[in-house]
Amino acid sequence: LAAHFRLHLHQMDVQTTFLHGSLKNEDLYMEQPPYFISPQEQHKVCRLLKSLYGLKQSSRVWYQRFSNFLQALGYAPL
């Protein structure tokens, strides 16, 4: 379609985009990964500061960050 109308096409890679979301407003914890359990601290859990791919919150955090960026450029939500 872009070639037919002689439009410029830009492409971006979004496979790692979920890894850049900050979880500032939420406290999320996970168990220690099996290969990373410290013998002295087996009972502790990990607090997440950044979103992980597969979390329910990841897409919402990414969308909020993207929406804020577009609004800073002057775009308005519909």
Side-chain angles (χ1 to χ4, degrees), residues 30-32 40-46:
M30 64 176 264
E31 294 178 356
Q32 294 182 47
Q40 303 90 331
E41 301 173 342
Q42 292 181 4
H43 63 284
K44 292 191 176 182
V45 293
C46 300

Side-chain angles (χ1 to χ4, degrees):
L1 196 57
H4 177 75
F5 291 107
R6 297 176 188 246
L7 300 173
H8 292 282
L9 181 66
H10 296 276
Q11 182 178 346
M12 62 182 193
D13 179 16
V14 294
Q15 291 181 359
T16 60
T17 193
F18 289 122
L19 301 178
H20 299 287
S22 178
L23 298 171
K24 293 178 185 174
N25 301 329
E26 298 185 48
D27 288 335
L28 290 175
Y29 298 91
M30 64 176 264
E31 294 178 356
Q32 294 182 47
Y35 51 86
F36 192 72
I37 295 176
S38 173
Q40 303 90 331
E41 301 173 342
Q42 292 181 4
H43 63 284
K44 292 191 176 182
V45 293
C46 300
R47 180 172 178 239
L48 299 177
L49 301 177
K50 296 278 187 178
S51 63
L52 296 174
Y53 184 79
L55 285 178
K56 291 179 183 179
Q57 294 86 347
S58 294
S59 56
R60 182 177 45 78
V61 169
W62 176 83
Y63 175 78
Q64 186 62 46
R65 183 174 180 188
F66 184 63
S67 177
N68 291 341
F69 173 75
L70 290 178
Q71 289 177 22
L73 292 177
Y75 292 94
L78 297 177

